[in-house]
Amino acid sequence: METPFPSYEPNGPNNEARGPRLREIPLRLIVPNVVTVLAICAGLSGVRLAIENRFELAVAMVLLAAFLDGIDGRLARMMKATSKFGAQMDSLADIVNFGVAPALVLYAFILDQARSLGWIAALIYVIAAGLRLARFNVMAEREVKATWQSEYFVGVPAPAGAMLVLLPVYLGLLGVVPDRTIAIIASAYTVLIGFLLVCRMPVWSGKSTNRIRRDLVLPIILVVVFYVATLMTYTWETMVVTALAYLATLPFGARKWQKKYGNWPDHPDHPDHPEGLDDGLPVERKSDQP
């Protein structure tokens, strides 16, 4: 009688399927994953601090989580330590740091005063962040990519969404009283940011800017130094200006995309068509048969 499972062989295919043992993994492969774990810890610590009404530290931890989450991928590429495991860890960290943590901090600060409406707004934002990240992963795995993908995102990226959705908290830390009316307005604003995450609006990414004119190097360095100095000195004022300035640039980026690339192609099979790239969902096509 045959056994339903093959017998275990020390050096057989079953042993190879278990993957490399821990002692066989180079240290450089672990470092980016440690940064990813630290980012998750920072995001969840921000939630705890928000529950304890320590909102300044809570927002700082969420922003730190976003920063760490942004550098782990670059660190992995720089150290030539990219792996499928790291990519999965990074995706899990993204939904925590850019979706769950900002929404819970915002809810603890002001949305709870809008009762169920505030909670629904927080849920919508988290789901929108998850959909945005899933769409990004699908687009990144496509073999055929549109020409504009090196310059533009489809919708506001999740890290920027986390920074934008915390705008009511920045204003509250500057002295705006978080009453029920402000909470309802903040709930509507949270839903708006969720919509910007999943919409098809082209958003300039800046990834295609690899070279800077020589005469602009020193002015750019001075601008960066000035921004960091104001961020350290007038933190919440600077974050408010940053969020509002980012929102103000969105229509100009979309307009520039339209001037350069025109409207979306009408045919679903075209590689630049949004239905063929954005979400990975099947496209309903009309049958050629009568």
Side-chain angles (χ1 to χ4, degrees):
M1 179 177 180
E2 296 183 359
T3 57
F5 300 101
S7 59
Y8 174 75
E9 301 177 14
N11 297 319
N14 291 335
N15 187 54
E16 294 177 358
R18 296 170 60 189
R21 296 181 181 178
L22 184 61
R23 65 173 181 267
E24 299 174 357
I25 299 177
L27 180 62
R28 61 183 176 82
L29 294 178
I30 302 177
V31 172
N33 295 325
V34 171
V35 176
T36 303
V37 172
L38 292 176
I40 298 176
C41 293
L44 295 178
S45 297
V47 175
R48 176 194 171 181
L49 291 169
I51 295 174
E52 297 174 351
N53 294 326
R54 301 161 67 184
F55 291 105
E56 291 191 8
L57 288 176
V59 175
M61 293 300 291
V62 171
L63 295 178
L64 175 62
F67 172 76
L68 293 175
D69 204 294
I71 67 171
D72 59 355
R74 292 176 175 83
L75 184 63
R77 288 188 292 271
M78 183 179 65
M79 299 179 64
K80 297 182 179 180
T82 56
S83 64
K84 293 183 179 180
F85 177 84
Q88 296 299 324
M89 280 290 297
D90 188 60
S91 295
L92 295 175
D94 288 343
I95 188 60
V96 172
N97 298 329
F98 303 141
V100 176
L104 292 181
V105 170
L106 184 61
Y107 180 80
F109 183 79
I110 188 172
L111 294 186
D112 61 334
Q113 298 190 40
R115 306 291 182 177
S116 298
L117 183 63
W119 180 245
I120 291 172
L123 287 178
I124 289 175
Y125 172 78
V126 174
I127 297 303
L131 293 173
R132 175 66 180 83
L133 292 166
R135 183 173 65 185
F136 176 82
N137 290 339
V138 170
M139 292 181 66
E141 293 177 358
R142 296 272 181 170
E143 295 182 0
V144 179
K145 297 183 179 181
T147 55
W148 47 264
Q149 280 188 258
S150 61
E151 300 179 58
Y152 290 88
F153 295 119
V154 179
V156 171
M163 182 269 296
L164 293 174
V165 81
L166 291 174
L167 178 60
V169 183
Y170 310 149
L171 293 173
L173 294 175
L174 288 176
V176 178
V177 180
D179 56 16
R180 181 171 174 79
T181 302
I182 300 297
I184 294 175
I185 296 175
S187 299
Y189 173 78
T190 303
V191 174
L192 172 64
I193 298 303
F195 171 76
L196 291 178
L197 290 174
V198 298
C199 72
R200 300 187 184 279
M201 178 176 60
V203 177
W204 186 64
S205 65
K207 295 186 295 184
S208 61
T209 307
N210 297 323
R211 294 181 178 274
I212 300 174
R213 285 167 40 189
R214 185 182 297 272
D215 59 326
L216 297 179
V217 173
L218 293 181
I220 290 176
I221 292 176
L222 291 177
V223 169
V224 172
V225 171
F226 175 77
Y227 179 81
V228 173
T230 56
L231 185 63
M232 299 297 294
T233 308
Y234 306 101
T235 304
W236 309 123
E237 292 88 345
T238 304
M239 292 305 302
V240 169
V241 172
T242 302
L244 293 178
Y246 188 91
L247 289 172
T249 59
L250 294 180
F252 296 99
R255 181 62 178 171
K256 184 177 179 181
W257 185 95
Q258 188 176 25
K259 287 183 177 180
K260 187 174 182 179
Y261 295 102
N263 297 321
W264 289 119
D266 294 330
H267 198 279
D269 291 330
H270 196 285
D272 284 0
H273 192 277
E275 293 291 347
L277 280 173
D278 290 355
D279 46 25
L281 298 177
V283 181
E284 183 178 355
R285 297 179 174 85
K286 294 182 179 179
S287 175
D288 295 333
Q289 301 295 329

